Amino acid sequence: MSVQTEWWRTATIYQIYPKSFCDSGSKGTGDIQGIISKLGYLKLLGTDAIWLTPVYESPMVDNGYDISDYYAINPDFGTMADFDELLEKAHQNGIRIIMDIVVNHTSTAHKWFQSALGDKNSPYRDYYIWKDPVDGREPNNWASKFGGNAWELDEATNQYYLHLFAKEQADLNWENPQVREEVKHIIDFWAEKGVDGFRLDVINLISKQQDFTDDESGDGRRFYTDGPRVHEYLQEISEAVFQKYGSVTVGEMSSTTLEHCQQYSANDGKELSMVFNFHHLKVDYSNGEKWTKAPFDFIQLKQIFNKWQTGLNGKGWGALFWCNHDQPRVVSRLGDDQQYRVESAKMLAASVHMMQGTPYIYQGEEIGMTNPHYTDISQYRDVESTNMYDIMVNHDGVSKEDMLAILAQKSRDNSRTPMQWNTEEHAGFTQGQPWLEVARNYPEINAAHAVDDPDSVFYFYQKLIQLRKAIPVITSGEYIDLLPEHKQLFCYARRDEKQTLLCLNNYYSEEVEYSVPPTFSMEKAQCLLSNYDVAESGNTLSLRPYETRIYLIEEC
Ligand code: TEU
């Protein structure tokens, strides 16, 4: 298939975190029937495909990213018949389904791990990564991404297994060809059912450097990030399954580089369709440390987008996103979730949707949902957040108040609060008690209000989705940052032989003037979309608080 005609280059994908999306009953957790009941809403938005975070059988230590059976649906979410119904009804509505594949690790409750544990002769022992103790302790100093050392002792055999995430998530040994065969089999099973694509969890961590030495200068990530055989493995899986089924694939790339992503998502289609990278979401980390409370670095944000937009153009393909189930809500993070909530939610949407790539909308983002601003540790459920609270408060001497302020800004639970559907109790998410507290602002911020209001954030997203399909330069044009050093404005152009698009954004609450360079003939420009009424014309503009404007100039 030629590069231009692949459906996902003009598509917008909607991410569903099923546990928090819609409960069809009173369990307090969302389910597949709940998703089915909202397909009309997703169609109205213009969703081309749903990325469904894991719905497989799982002890739910990491909300489904700890899979215990890749071939079964978690009963909390429903049955395989429910899943088949979702697939069929989504397809009837013109919506594709992308499954989340988590194969860097399995749950320790998986039958492979259960067989491997305590038995060096198990046929599954070599599915995982085992090492002898060194000087009576862990084999090396690699850190788990959820805090503490990345090795856990199996007392019966006196060997440690590797877990880059929670200790209940054991890393698979991709060096073992049988593991790779299992992975192909899993993906084949879902593709055969008619699933349209796959999101591959932390897929750039699957190949570890085999000497497993201490990392003298870090936490070990340089020894397994974009590791020695990762491209080879991806090509093997792609050839065996993705190419066979024509699946769309998006790789989640942790701490990756542009050079690797050019190869992962290269136009030859030998590895993946596109990549997620997270560099633009670390601009509010202090010295690269997530667990800090820091303002965001606006200049750095623009530099990162510029690097990735120009670096992938013509070479690879990126996913465009602000939000997912691991990230705080963008309107609370980079916008203003009080006075200018609606304006800033729209501005942030426009500024990322007008770039090159495939945009992803995370449930609730399309109605401008905010962080819940929790104030007590008992309100949190996320394993990463509770682990870090324990480590930082009980071991590192951080005060409870400081840690709660950090969590309120950085915790993954900020995005996992139940979807706000309407003004009913618990925001219409469940008839029972929600597993995670609903944000208190649901009487004002909810999908029912958004759908009733033609000026809502929801319809702004709908329009952005439509623009991507109607205006070719959004997909194909080169990216030019017009104001890399400006402290308040983020203005860029997209350009091809026929069209120029301007995306002008004020990231702050003070009004500011901007003179569009004379090379852009503003008298020919058509304002396609804004979050304010736009009356002025000419090259000198005044951008109001969090204003965004999208202009199109057709070259004759
Ligand atoms: O996340 C990978 C990952 O490293 C991060 O997004 C992580 O949650 C964050 O950096 C912690 O600070 C993926 C999934 O999206 C996440 O939900 C899982 O917990 C993780 O993999 C393990 O499967």
Side-chain angles (χ1 to χ4, degrees), residues 40-53:
Y41 171 82
L42 298 176
K43 193 175 177 185
L44 178 66
L45 180 63
T47 308
D48 292 290
I50 293 169
W51 151 27
L52 203 59
T53 64

Side-chain angles (χ1 to χ4, degrees), residues 502 504 516 520-526 537-539 541 551 553:
L502 292 176
L504 314 180
V516 180
F520 299 100
S521 27
M522 292 305 283
E523 66 280 0
K524 287 198 289 177
Q526 178 198 356
S537 58
N539 281 57
L541 316 169
Y551 286 101
I553 305 169

